[in-house]
Amino acid sequence: MEMNEVSAEEAVAMLLAEAREENEAGAGKLDAGETGEFAKELVHGVLERKSAIDEMLQQYLTGWQVDRLSKVDHQVLRLACYELVFRTDVPPKAVVNEAIELSKRFGTDESGKFVNGVLGRLIAELDKLKAN
């Protein structure tokens, strides 16, 4: 959404259109029904809590500012933070593993290690974050 300056609805529609055919992620073709609803929930959830998520992330960035992160690392961290703090249906280990894989695939050579480090610090205080 930030890279292409489109709305949440447009971003999800583009994602689903790509997922129905060959896609850059190398994923198999998807049925848009359930996947689309899940993607919409994630996109809207992150969008609605973007400021709160960025404030949380800033606490766990050592030597970095949120606004200086690469777009890929920033979005992967936002999504992971949303799933870790605001959802209860995904195991934290699965969230971290998926975030690392996304950052490795779409980020730089160092993105996986960076995302892992930030999320590792965040998970250590997850109970405190969920309580607030």
Side-chain angles (χ1 to χ4, degrees):
M1 290 169 29
E2 290 185 13
M3 290 173 162
N4 297 316
E5 297 181 10
V6 296
S7 70
E9 287 72 27
E10 291 171 308
V12 172
M14 288 188 311
L15 165 83
L16 295 176
E18 182 181 342
R20 284 186 208 103
E21 299 175 9
E22 290 185 35
N23 55 72
E24 67 184 46
K29 295 179 183 179
L30 301 174
D31 173 29
E34 191 174 316
T35 302
E37 289 306 311
F38 182 64
K40 286 178 191 175
E41 194 280 322
L42 291 176
V43 169
H44 285 286
V46 170
L47 193 58
E48 290 168 8
R49 295 169 180 88
K50 188 164 59 169
S51 295
I53 290 169
D54 283 352
E55 286 177 26
M56 284 181 217
L57 289 174
Q58 187 59 61
Q59 297 175 50
Y60 303 100
L61 293 171
T62 305
W64 286 88
Q65 294 295 316
V66 169
D67 60 348
R68 303 285 295 167
L69 295 174
S70 75
K71 289 192 183 288
V72 170
D73 291 350
H74 194 177
Q75 300 311 322
V76 168
L77 287 168
R78 276 181 175 161
L79 178 59
C81 185
Y82 169 73
E83 287 189 288
L84 288 167
V85 176
F86 298 104
R87 293 184 61 105
T88 58
D89 60 337
V90 186
K93 202 173 206 176
V95 171
V96 173
N97 287 339
E98 289 298 319
I100 292 168
E101 290 305 313
L102 283 170
S103 63
K104 283 180 181 178
R105 180 154 185 99
F106 297 105
T108 67
D109 291 341
E110 297 299 314
S111 290
K113 292 177 194 172
F114 178 73
V115 165
N116 186 39
V118 173
L119 294 178
R121 289 188 291 279
L122 187 145
I123 283 181
E125 298 185 2
L126 190 56
D127 290 337
K128 181 178 88 171
L129 291 170
K130 286 185 174 193
N132 293 334

